[in-house]
Amino acid sequence: MTLAPRRPQQIPLDLAHRPATSRDDLVPGTSIRPALHLIDTYPDWPAPVVVIVGPCGAGKTHLASAWQKMTGAASLAIAGIAPEALDWAERGPILVDDADRAPIDETGLFHLINAIRSAGTHLLLTAVTRPAAWPIELPDLVSRLRAAAVVDIGEPDDMLLAGVLTKLFSDRQVEVDPAVIQYLVKRMERSLESANDIVERLDAAALARKSRITRALAAEVVGEL
């Protein structure tokens, strides 16, 4: 018996597609509309300290990165806020991503908020939970966080996921049928990280097989995930 030759596969090149994090790259959707309004109306904010709260994969870091690029804000880690970092508040706004990730430098955050208020600038925090749920023991810090403005965002809705998938494929110069996009939206994990992962996998699979991205290929990739 003669075996049919296997169809050769193209090895996809890693072109290091970097995630786009500017304001223009933010895809509007109902779930992030309040946070988008916050970014667009800076510095006319309701309080010196603002917390964007939402589940993992909802786009908090992308929103914060876009704001940072717009404002030139300095970035600090919540685990250790050095005393010299307080001087940064005199120069402009500050970003703390994942602010509810333990361990929280309570004393450092307390002094940072005071420095922000004294300088008349702004501090943007992102978190999965609201400040009231953070494991804070310092009473003065609890009081400061109560005065912060909180903006909630939810899981990405269908419109946002479809827009993000379409844009991610477009960034790679890959044309995908809208029906395939809708198929993915209904079956994928509801996060922007998942959207990035699916687009990367589908692009690599299509390149390897020298084929278009079809519903059958989408089903295969989603099944693997």
Side-chain angles (χ1 to χ4, degrees):
M1 181 176 67
T2 303
L3 296 177
R6 294 181 63 185
R7 181 179 177 183
Q9 288 194 337
Q10 176 180 341
I11 299 176
L13 298 176
D14 183 3
L15 299 180
H17 292 275
R18 287 186 247 170
T21 56
S22 71
R23 169 61 183 88
D24 292 340
D25 295 307
L26 287 166
V27 178
T30 304
S31 59
I32 67 168
R33 189 172 296 158
L36 271 179
H37 178 73
L38 180 82
I39 299 300
D40 290 338
T41 56
Y42 183 82
D44 186 20
W45 279 9
V49 180
V50 173
V51 188
I52 295 180
V53 178
C56 293
K60 301 184 300 297
T61 296
H62 189 169
L63 285 160
S65 296
W67 176 77
Q68 185 178 21
K69 285 188 175 182
M70 290 169 54
T71 63
S75 181
L76 295 176
I78 194 64
I81 301 174
E84 56 268 23
L86 303 181
D87 295 335
W88 297 358
E90 297 290 339
R91 304 171 200 163
I94 293 177
L95 166 67
V96 177
D97 201 13
D98 293 326
D100 56 346
R101 179 180 294 174
I104 297 174
D105 180 358
E106 297 186 27
T107 302
L109 182 56
F110 171 73
H111 289 304
L112 176 62
I113 293 175
N114 286 343
I116 288 288
R117 294 169 63 170
S118 176
T121 185
H122 293 89
L123 171 64
L124 177 62
L125 307 160
T126 71
V128 174
T129 57
R130 284 176 154 253
W134 298 0
I136 302 293
E137 297 182 0
L138 189 63
D140 287 338
L141 178 56
V142 172
S143 175
R144 294 291 186 273
L145 290 173
R146 280 178 184 159
V150 178
V151 178
D152 292 293
I153 60 177
E155 290 185 341
D157 52 31
D158 286 0
M159 182 176 71
L160 178 58
L161 286 176
V164 167
L165 287 169
T166 301
K167 187 177 190 313
L168 289 173
F169 281 122
S170 177
D171 289 344
R172 291 169 175 261
Q173 299 182 332
V174 176
E175 192 171 331
V176 179
D177 192 289
V180 175
I181 297 290
Q182 290 304 315
Y183 177 87
L184 291 171
V185 167
K186 298 299 182 184
R187 290 161 178 81
M188 64 182 285
E189 176 187 316
R190 308 196 70 78
S191 75
L192 302 190
E193 282 85 352
S194 178
N196 274 289
D197 189 23
I198 285 174
V199 168
E200 184 177 341
R201 288 170 180 260
L202 279 171
D203 189 22
L207 282 172
R209 303 179 190 191
K210 297 183 180 179
S211 69
R212 296 177 64 252
I213 294 178
T214 62
R215 179 168 170 170
L217 183 57
E220 182 179 326
V221 167
V222 170
E224 291 174 352
L225 292 173

Short mmCIF file of all heavy atoms in Angstrom, two decimals, residues 46-115:
data_model
loop_
_atom_site.label_atom_id
_atom_site.label_comp_id
_atom_site.label_asym_id
_atom_site.label_seq_id
_atom_site.Cartn_x
_atom_site.Cartn_y
_atom_site.Cartn_z
N PRO A 46 -13.10 63.37 39.21
CA PRO A 46 -13.93 63.66 40.40
C PRO A 46 -13.15 63.66 41.72
O PRO A 46 -13.68 64.12 42.73
CB PRO A 46 -14.95 62.52 40.38
CG PRO A 46 -14.27 61.40 39.65
CD PRO A 46 -13.43 62.08 38.60
N ALA A 47 -11.92 63.15 41.72
CA ALA A 47 -11.12 63.09 42.95
C ALA A 47 -9.65 62.95 42.58
O ALA A 47 -9.32 62.51 41.46
CB ALA A 47 -11.56 61.91 43.82
N PRO A 48 -8.75 63.30 43.50
CA PRO A 48 -7.32 63.14 43.22
C PRO A 48 -6.90 61.67 43.03
O PRO A 48 -5.97 61.38 42.30
CB PRO A 48 -6.64 63.74 44.45
CG PRO A 48 -7.66 64.62 45.08
CD PRO A 48 -8.97 63.97 44.80
N VAL A 49 -7.62 60.76 43.71
CA VAL A 49 -7.32 59.33 43.61
C VAL A 49 -8.50 58.62 42.97
O VAL A 49 -9.64 58.76 43.42
CB VAL A 49 -7.04 58.72 45.01
CG1 VAL A 49 -6.73 57.23 44.89
CG2 VAL A 49 -5.89 59.46 45.69
N VAL A 50 -8.22 57.88 41.90
CA VAL A 50 -9.26 57.16 41.18
C VAL A 50 -8.85 55.69 41.08
O VAL A 50 -7.68 55.38 40.82
CB VAL A 50 -9.48 57.75 39.78
CG1 VAL A 50 -10.46 56.88 38.98
CG2 VAL A 50 -10.00 59.17 39.86
N VAL A 51 -9.81 54.80 41.31
CA VAL A 51 -9.55 53.36 41.24
C VAL A 51 -10.43 52.75 40.14
O VAL A 51 -11.65 52.88 40.19
CB VAL A 51 -9.85 52.66 42.58
CG1 VAL A 51 -9.39 51.21 42.53
CG2 VAL A 51 -9.19 53.39 43.75
N ILE A 52 -9.81 52.12 39.16
CA ILE A 52 -10.55 51.36 38.14
C ILE A 52 -10.63 49.92 38.62
O ILE A 52 -9.60 49.27 38.83
CB ILE A 52 -9.87 51.43 36.76
CG1 ILE A 52 -9.88 52.87 36.23
CG2 ILE A 52 -10.57 50.50 35.78
CD1 ILE A 52 -9.21 53.01 34.86
N VAL A 53 -11.84 49.42 38.80
CA VAL A 53 -12.05 48.09 39.36
C VAL A 53 -12.74 47.20 38.33
O VAL A 53 -13.74 47.61 37.71
CB VAL A 53 -12.93 48.17 40.64
CG1 VAL A 53 -13.20 46.77 41.18
CG2 VAL A 53 -12.24 49.03 41.69
N GLY A 54 -12.25 45.99 38.16
CA GLY A 54 -12.87 45.06 37.24
C GLY A 54 -12.20 43.70 37.28
O GLY A 54 -11.09 43.56 37.81
N PRO A 55 -12.84 42.67 36.73
CA PRO A 55 -12.28 41.32 36.76
C PRO A 55 -11.03 41.21 35.90
O PRO A 55 -10.76 42.06 35.05
CB PRO A 55 -13.42 40.45 36.22
CG PRO A 55 -14.23 41.39 35.37
CD PRO A 55 -14.15 42.72 36.05
N CYS A 56 -10.27 40.15 36.11
CA CYS A 56 -9.09 39.89 35.30
C CYS A 56 -9.50 39.76 33.82
O CYS A 56 -10.51 39.13 33.51
CB CYS A 56 -8.41 38.60 35.74
SG CYS A 56 -7.68 38.69 37.40
N GLY A 57 -8.73 40.37 32.96
CA GLY A 57 -9.01 40.29 31.53
C GLY A 57 -10.03 41.28 31.03
O GLY A 57 -10.43 41.21 29.87
N ALA A 58 -10.47 42.21 31.87
CA ALA A 58 -11.50 43.17 31.45
C ALA A 58 -10.91 44.37 30.73
O ALA A 58 -11.65 45.16 30.15
CB ALA A 58 -12.29 43.64 32.67
N GLY A 59 -9.59 44.55 30.78
CA GLY A 59 -8.96 45.65 30.08
C GLY A 59 -8.43 46.76 30.96
O GLY A 59 -8.08 47.84 30.47
N LYS A 60 -8.33 46.51 32.27
CA LYS A 60 -7.87 47.56 33.19
C LYS A 60 -6.46 48.03 32.86
O LYS A 60 -6.17 49.22 32.84
CB LYS A 60 -7.90 47.05 34.64
CG LYS A 60 -9.25 46.60 35.14
CD LYS A 60 -9.20 46.22 36.60
CE LYS A 60 -8.25 45.08 36.91
NZ LYS A 60 -8.60 43.81 36.26
N THR A 61 -5.56 47.06 32.62
CA THR A 61 -4.17 47.42 32.36
C THR A 61 -4.04 48.18 31.06
O THR A 61 -3.25 49.13 30.95
CB THR A 61 -3.30 46.15 32.34
OG1 THR A 61 -3.32 45.54 33.64
CG2 THR A 61 -1.86 46.49 31.99
N HIS A 62 -4.82 47.80 30.04
CA HIS A 62 -4.79 48.53 28.76
C HIS A 62 -5.26 49.97 28.96
O HIS A 62 -4.63 50.91 28.47
CB HIS A 62 -5.68 47.81 27.74
CG HIS A 62 -5.55 48.36 26.35
ND1 HIS A 62 -6.09 47.73 25.25
CD2 HIS A 62 -4.96 49.49 25.87
CE1 HIS A 62 -5.83 48.45 24.17
NE2 HIS A 62 -5.14 49.51 24.53
N LEU A 63 -6.33 50.14 29.71
CA LEU A 63 -6.83 51.49 29.99
C LEU A 63 -5.79 52.31 30.74
O LEU A 63 -5.54 53.47 30.40
CB LEU A 63 -8.12 51.39 30.82
CG LEU A 63 -9.38 50.96 30.09
CD1 LEU A 63 -10.41 50.42 31.08
CD2 LEU A 63 -9.96 52.12 29.30
N ALA A 64 -5.18 51.69 31.75
CA ALA A 64 -4.17 52.39 32.54
C ALA A 64 -2.95 52.74 31.70
O ALA A 64 -2.39 53.84 31.82
CB ALA A 64 -3.76 51.54 33.74
N SER A 65 -2.54 51.83 30.82
CA SER A 65 -1.39 52.09 29.96
C SER A 65 -1.67 53.22 28.98
O SER A 65 -0.80 54.05 28.70
CB SER A 65 -1.01 50.82 29.18
OG SER A 65 -0.59 49.79 30.06
N ALA A 66 -2.91 53.26 28.46
CA ALA A 66 -3.28 54.34 27.55
C ALA A 66 -3.23 55.68 28.28
O ALA A 66 -2.74 56.68 27.74
CB ALA A 66 -4.68 54.08 26.99
N TRP A 67 -3.75 55.70 29.50
CA TRP A 67 -3.72 56.93 30.30
C TRP A 67 -2.28 57.34 30.60
O TRP A 67 -1.92 58.52 30.54
CB TRP A 67 -4.50 56.72 31.59
CG TRP A 67 -4.45 57.88 32.54
CD1 TRP A 67 -5.15 59.05 32.45
CD2 TRP A 67 -3.64 57.99 33.72
NE1 TRP A 67 -4.84 59.88 33.50
CE2 TRP A 67 -3.91 59.26 34.30
CE3 TRP A 67 -2.73 57.14 34.35
CZ2 TRP A 67 -3.29 59.69 35.47
CZ3 TRP A 67 -2.10 57.58 35.51
CH2 TRP A 67 -2.39 58.83 36.06
N GLN A 68 -1.44 56.36 30.90
CA GLN A 68 -0.04 56.65 31.21
C GLN A 68 0.66 57.27 30.00
O GLN A 68 1.45 58.21 30.14
CB GLN A 68 0.67 55.38 31.65
CG GLN A 68 2.11 55.61 32.11
CD GLN A 68 2.77 54.33 32.59
OE1 GLN A 68 2.34 53.23 32.25
NE2 GLN A 68 3.82 54.46 33.37
N LYS A 69 0.39 56.74 28.81
CA LYS A 69 1.00 57.30 27.61
C LYS A 69 0.51 58.72 27.34
O LYS A 69 1.27 59.57 26.88
CB LYS A 69 0.69 56.41 26.41
CG LYS A 69 1.49 55.12 26.38
CD LYS A 69 1.29 54.38 25.08
CE LYS A 69 2.19 53.15 25.00
NZ LYS A 69 2.06 52.43 23.72
N MET A 70 -0.76 58.96 27.63
CA MET A 70 -1.32 60.29 27.40
C MET A 70 -0.74 61.32 28.36
O MET A 70 -0.55 62.49 28.00
CB MET A 70 -2.84 60.25 27.57
CG MET A 70 -3.59 59.51 26.48
SD MET A 70 -5.33 59.24 26.95
CE MET A 70 -5.87 60.91 27.34
N THR A 71 -0.47 60.92 29.60
CA THR A 71 -0.12 61.87 30.65
C THR A 71 1.35 61.86 31.04
O THR A 71 1.81 62.77 31.72
CB THR A 71 -0.95 61.58 31.91
OG1 THR A 71 -0.61 60.26 32.40
CG2 THR A 71 -2.44 61.63 31.62
N GLY A 72 2.07 60.81 30.63
CA GLY A 72 3.45 60.67 31.07
C GLY A 72 3.57 60.29 32.53
O GLY A 72 4.58 60.57 33.18
N ALA A 73 2.54 59.65 33.07
CA ALA A 73 2.52 59.28 34.49
C ALA A 73 3.64 58.30 34.82
O ALA A 73 3.99 57.42 34.03
CB ALA A 73 1.16 58.66 34.84
N ALA A 74 4.18 58.45 36.02
CA ALA A 74 5.16 57.49 36.53
C ALA A 74 4.43 56.25 37.02
O ALA A 74 3.25 56.31 37.39
CB ALA A 74 5.96 58.12 37.67
N SER A 75 5.11 55.12 37.01
CA SER A 75 4.50 53.85 37.43
C SER A 75 5.21 53.31 38.66
O SER A 75 6.44 53.27 38.73
CB SER A 75 4.60 52.83 36.29
OG SER A 75 4.00 51.60 36.67
N LEU A 76 4.41 52.90 39.65
CA LEU A 76 4.94 52.34 40.89
C LEU A 76 4.31 50.98 41.16
O LEU A 76 3.19 50.71 40.74
CB LEU A 76 4.64 53.27 42.08
CG LEU A 76 5.30 54.66 42.09
CD1 LEU A 76 4.79 55.44 43.29
CD2 LEU A 76 6.81 54.53 42.13
N ALA A 77 5.04 50.13 41.89
CA ALA A 77 4.50 48.85 42.33
C ALA A 77 3.95 49.01 43.74
O ALA A 77 4.51 49.72 44.57
CB ALA A 77 5.59 47.78 42.32
N ILE A 78 2.84 48.33 44.02
CA ILE A 78 2.17 48.48 45.31
C ILE A 78 2.96 47.86 46.45
O ILE A 78 2.80 48.25 47.62
CB ILE A 78 0.75 47.86 45.26
CG1 ILE A 78 -0.09 48.30 46.45
CG2 ILE A 78 0.83 46.34 45.17
CD1 ILE A 78 -0.37 49.78 46.51
N ALA A 79 3.86 46.93 46.14
CA ALA A 79 4.55 46.19 47.19
C ALA A 79 5.62 47.02 47.91
O ALA A 79 5.94 46.76 49.06
CB ALA A 79 5.19 44.93 46.62
N GLY A 80 6.18 48.01 47.23
CA GLY A 80 7.23 48.80 47.87
C GLY A 80 7.32 50.19 47.29
O GLY A 80 7.83 50.36 46.17
N ILE A 81 6.79 51.18 47.99
CA ILE A 81 6.79 52.56 47.51
C ILE A 81 7.90 53.30 48.26
O ILE A 81 7.75 53.66 49.43
CB ILE A 81 5.43 53.23 47.73
CG1 ILE A 81 4.34 52.43 46.99
CG2 ILE A 81 5.45 54.68 47.27
CD1 ILE A 81 2.93 52.90 47.26
N ALA A 82 9.03 53.48 47.60
CA ALA A 82 10.19 54.11 48.23
C ALA A 82 9.90 55.56 48.58
O ALA A 82 9.15 56.23 47.86
CB ALA A 82 11.40 54.01 47.31
N PRO A 83 10.46 56.06 49.67
CA PRO A 83 10.23 57.45 50.07
C PRO A 83 10.57 58.44 48.96
O PRO A 83 9.86 59.45 48.78
CB PRO A 83 11.16 57.63 51.28
CG PRO A 83 11.30 56.25 51.85
CD PRO A 83 11.28 55.34 50.66
N GLU A 84 11.64 58.16 48.19
CA GLU A 84 12.01 59.10 47.12
C GLU A 84 10.97 59.15 46.00
O GLU A 84 10.90 60.12 45.25
CB GLU A 84 13.38 58.75 46.54
CG GLU A 84 13.52 57.34 46.02
CD GLU A 84 14.05 56.38 47.07
OE1 GLU A 84 13.91 56.67 48.28
OE2 GLU A 84 14.61 55.34 46.69
N ALA A 85 10.16 58.08 45.91
CA ALA A 85 9.12 58.06 44.88
C ALA A 85 8.04 59.10 45.16
O ALA A 85 7.31 59.51 44.25
CB ALA A 85 8.49 56.67 44.78
N LEU A 86 7.92 59.53 46.40
CA LEU A 86 6.92 60.54 46.74
C LEU A 86 7.22 61.87 46.04
O LEU A 86 6.31 62.67 45.81
CB LEU A 86 6.86 60.74 48.26
CG LEU A 86 6.57 59.49 49.10
CD1 LEU A 86 6.50 59.84 50.57
CD2 LEU A 86 5.28 58.82 48.65
N ASP A 87 8.48 62.10 45.73
CA ASP A 87 8.85 63.32 45.01
C ASP A 87 8.25 63.35 43.61
O ASP A 87 8.08 64.41 43.02
CB ASP A 87 10.37 63.45 44.93
CG ASP A 87 11.02 63.62 46.30
OD1 ASP A 87 10.32 64.10 47.21
OD2 ASP A 87 12.21 63.29 46.44
N TRP A 88 7.94 62.16 43.07
CA TRP A 88 7.38 62.10 41.72
C TRP A 88 6.03 62.80 41.64
O TRP A 88 5.63 63.30 40.59
CB TRP A 88 7.23 60.65 41.26
CG TRP A 88 8.52 59.90 41.15
CD1 TRP A 88 9.78 60.39 41.36
CD2 TRP A 88 8.68 58.53 40.79
NE1 TRP A 88 10.71 59.41 41.17
CE2 TRP A 88 10.09 58.26 40.82
CE3 TRP A 88 7.81 57.51 40.47
CZ2 TRP A 88 10.61 57.01 40.52
CZ3 TRP A 88 8.33 56.25 40.18
CH2 TRP A 88 9.71 56.01 40.21
N ALA A 89 5.31 62.82 42.77
CA ALA A 89 4.00 63.47 42.78
C ALA A 89 4.12 64.96 42.48
O ALA A 89 3.17 65.57 41.96
CB ALA A 89 3.32 63.27 44.13
N GLU A 90 5.27 65.54 42.78
CA GLU A 90 5.49 66.96 42.49
C GLU A 90 5.63 67.19 40.99
O GLU A 90 5.43 68.31 40.50
CB GLU A 90 6.74 67.47 43.21
CG GLU A 90 6.64 67.41 44.73
CD GLU A 90 5.66 68.43 45.29
OE1 GLU A 90 5.38 69.42 44.58
OE2 GLU A 90 5.18 68.23 46.42
N ARG A 91 5.97 66.14 40.25
CA ARG A 91 6.24 66.29 38.82
C ARG A 91 5.05 65.91 37.94
O ARG A 91 5.02 66.24 36.76
CB ARG A 91 7.44 65.43 38.42
CG ARG A 91 8.69 65.73 39.24
CD ARG A 91 9.77 64.71 38.95
NE ARG A 91 10.77 64.68 40.01
CZ ARG A 91 11.62 63.69 40.19
NH1 ARG A 91 11.58 62.63 39.39
NH2 ARG A 91 12.51 63.73 41.17
N GLY A 92 4.10 65.16 38.50
CA GLY A 92 2.97 64.75 37.67
C GLY A 92 2.23 63.57 38.23
O GLY A 92 2.49 63.11 39.34
N PRO A 93 1.28 63.02 37.45
CA PRO A 93 0.44 61.91 37.93
C PRO A 93 1.22 60.61 38.08
O PRO A 93 2.32 60.46 37.54
CB PRO A 93 -0.63 61.80 36.83
CG PRO A 93 0.04 62.34 35.61
CD PRO A 93 0.94 63.44 36.09
N ILE A 94 0.61 59.68 38.81
CA ILE A 94 1.25 58.39 39.09
C ILE A 94 0.25 57.26 38.88
O ILE A 94 -0.95 57.40 39.19
CB ILE A 94 1.80 58.36 40.54
CG1 ILE A 94 2.97 59.36 40.68
CG2 ILE A 94 2.28 56.96 40.93
CD1 ILE A 94 3.54 59.46 42.08
N LEU A 95 0.73 56.14 38.38
CA LEU A 95 -0.07 54.94 38.14
C LEU A 95 0.42 53.81 39.02
O LEU A 95 1.62 53.56 39.13
CB LEU A 95 0.03 54.52 36.67
CG LEU A 95 -0.48 53.11 36.32
CD1 LEU A 95 -2.00 53.02 36.52
CD2 LEU A 95 -0.11 52.75 34.88
N VAL A 96 -0.54 53.11 39.66
CA VAL A 96 -0.23 51.87 40.39
C VAL A 96 -1.18 50.80 39.87
O VAL A 96 -2.38 50.81 40.16
CB VAL A 96 -0.39 52.04 41.92
CG1 VAL A 96 -0.12 50.70 42.61
CG2 VAL A 96 0.55 53.11 42.45
N ASP A 97 -0.66 49.87 39.07
CA ASP A 97 -1.46 48.78 38.51
C ASP A 97 -1.51 47.63 39.52
O ASP A 97 -0.57 47.43 40.30
CB ASP A 97 -0.82 48.31 37.20
CG ASP A 97 -1.78 47.57 36.30
OD1 ASP A 97 -3.01 47.62 36.57
OD2 ASP A 97 -1.33 46.96 35.32
N ASP A 98 -2.61 46.87 39.51
CA ASP A 98 -2.77 45.73 40.43
C ASP A 98 -2.59 46.16 41.88
O ASP A 98 -1.83 45.55 42.65
CB ASP A 98 -1.78 44.62 40.09
CG ASP A 98 -2.06 43.98 38.75
OD1 ASP A 98 -3.25 43.88 38.38
OD2 ASP A 98 -1.10 43.59 38.06
N ALA A 99 -3.29 47.21 42.28
CA ALA A 99 -3.09 47.79 43.60
C ALA A 99 -3.57 46.90 44.74
O ALA A 99 -3.15 47.10 45.89
CB ALA A 99 -3.80 49.15 43.69
N ASP A 100 -4.43 45.93 44.46
CA ASP A 100 -4.91 45.05 45.53
C ASP A 100 -4.15 43.74 45.59
O ASP A 100 -4.57 42.80 46.26
CB ASP A 100 -6.41 44.78 45.39
CG ASP A 100 -6.78 44.18 44.03
OD1 ASP A 100 -5.93 44.22 43.11
OD2 ASP A 100 -7.92 43.71 43.88
N ARG A 101 -3.02 43.68 44.90
CA ARG A 101 -2.22 42.46 44.93
C ARG A 101 -1.27 42.52 46.13
O ARG A 101 -0.41 43.39 46.21
CB ARG A 101 -1.41 42.30 43.64
CG ARG A 101 -0.53 41.06 43.61
CD ARG A 101 0.25 40.97 42.32
NE ARG A 101 -0.63 40.77 41.18
CZ ARG A 101 -0.20 40.77 39.92
NH1 ARG A 101 1.08 40.98 39.66
NH2 ARG A 101 -1.05 40.58 38.92
N ALA A 102 -1.43 41.62 47.06
CA ALA A 102 -0.59 41.60 48.27
C ALA A 102 0.85 41.26 47.91
O ALA A 102 1.11 40.53 46.94
CB ALA A 102 -1.15 40.60 49.27
N PRO A 103 1.82 41.76 48.70
CA PRO A 103 1.63 42.61 49.89
C PRO A 103 1.49 44.08 49.50
O PRO A 103 2.16 44.55 48.59
CB PRO A 103 2.91 42.37 50.68
CG PRO A 103 3.95 42.11 49.63
CD PRO A 103 3.24 41.36 48.52
N ILE A 104 0.63 44.78 50.20
CA ILE A 104 0.41 46.20 49.97
C ILE A 104 1.27 47.00 50.95
O ILE A 104 1.21 46.79 52.15
CB ILE A 104 -1.07 46.56 50.15
CG1 ILE A 104 -1.94 45.83 49.11
CG2 ILE A 104 -1.27 48.08 50.03
CD1 ILE A 104 -3.43 46.03 49.31
N ASP A 105 2.06 47.92 50.41
CA ASP A 105 2.85 48.82 51.26
C ASP A 105 1.91 49.91 51.78
O ASP A 105 1.75 50.96 51.17
CB ASP A 105 3.99 49.43 50.44
CG ASP A 105 4.88 50.37 51.26
OD1 ASP A 105 4.58 50.58 52.44
OD2 ASP A 105 5.85 50.90 50.69
N GLU A 106 1.28 49.63 52.92
CA GLU A 106 0.24 50.53 53.43
C GLU A 106 0.80 51.91 53.79
O GLU A 106 0.20 52.94 53.44
CB GLU A 106 -0.45 49.89 54.65
CG GLU A 106 -1.18 48.59 54.32
CD GLU A 106 -1.98 48.08 55.49
OE1 GLU A 106 -2.39 48.90 56.34
OE2 GLU A 106 -2.19 46.85 55.58
N THR A 107 1.91 51.93 54.48
CA THR A 107 2.49 53.22 54.86
C THR A 107 2.92 54.01 53.63
O THR A 107 2.67 55.22 53.53
CB THR A 107 3.70 53.01 55.79
OG1 THR A 107 3.29 52.29 56.95
CG2 THR A 107 4.31 54.33 56.20
N GLY A 108 3.54 53.32 52.68
CA GLY A 108 3.97 53.99 51.45
C GLY A 108 2.80 54.54 50.67
O GLY A 108 2.85 55.66 50.14
N LEU A 109 1.70 53.76 50.57
CA LEU A 109 0.53 54.21 49.83
C LEU A 109 -0.14 55.38 50.52
O LEU A 109 -0.60 56.33 49.88
CB LEU A 109 -0.47 53.05 49.68
CG LEU A 109 -1.75 53.35 48.88
CD1 LEU A 109 -1.42 53.86 47.49
CD2 LEU A 109 -2.63 52.11 48.80
N PHE A 110 -0.18 55.35 51.84
CA PHE A 110 -0.75 56.46 52.60
C PHE A 110 0.01 57.76 52.33
O PHE A 110 -0.59 58.80 52.03
CB PHE A 110 -0.72 56.13 54.10
CG PHE A 110 -1.09 57.28 54.98
CD1 PHE A 110 -2.41 57.72 55.07
CD2 PHE A 110 -0.12 57.95 55.73
CE1 PHE A 110 -2.75 58.80 55.89
CE2 PHE A 110 -0.46 59.01 56.54
CZ PHE A 110 -1.78 59.44 56.63
N HIS A 111 1.32 57.71 52.40
CA HIS A 111 2.12 58.91 52.16
C HIS A 111 2.05 59.34 50.69
O HIS A 111 2.08 60.55 50.39
CB HIS A 111 3.57 58.67 52.57
CG HIS A 111 3.78 58.57 54.05
ND1 HIS A 111 3.40 59.58 54.92
CD2 HIS A 111 4.32 57.59 54.82
CE1 HIS A 111 3.69 59.24 56.16
NE2 HIS A 111 4.25 58.02 56.13
N LEU A 112 1.92 58.37 49.79
CA LEU A 112 1.80 58.71 48.37
C LEU A 112 0.51 59.48 48.11
O LEU A 112 0.50 60.49 47.39
CB LEU A 112 1.84 57.44 47.52
CG LEU A 112 1.64 57.63 46.01
CD1 LEU A 112 2.76 58.51 45.44
CD2 LEU A 112 1.60 56.29 45.30
N ILE A 113 -0.60 59.02 48.69
CA ILE A 113 -1.87 59.71 48.51
C ILE A 113 -1.80 61.12 49.08
O ILE A 113 -2.28 62.08 48.47
CB ILE A 113 -3.02 58.91 49.17
CG1 ILE A 113 -3.25 57.60 48.41
CG2 ILE A 113 -4.30 59.73 49.21
CD1 ILE A 113 -4.26 56.69 49.05
N ASN A 114 -1.16 61.26 50.23
CA ASN A 114 -1.00 62.61 50.81
C ASN A 114 -0.19 63.50 49.89
O ASN A 114 -0.51 64.69 49.70
CB ASN A 114 -0.32 62.51 52.17
CG ASN A 114 -1.25 61.99 53.25
OD1 ASN A 114 -2.48 61.99 53.08
ND2 ASN A 114 -0.69 61.54 54.36
N ALA A 115 0.89 62.94 49.30
CA ALA A 115 1.73 63.73 48.40
C ALA A 115 0.97 64.13 47.14
O ALA A 115 1.11 65.24 46.64
CB ALA A 115 2.98 62.93 48.03
#
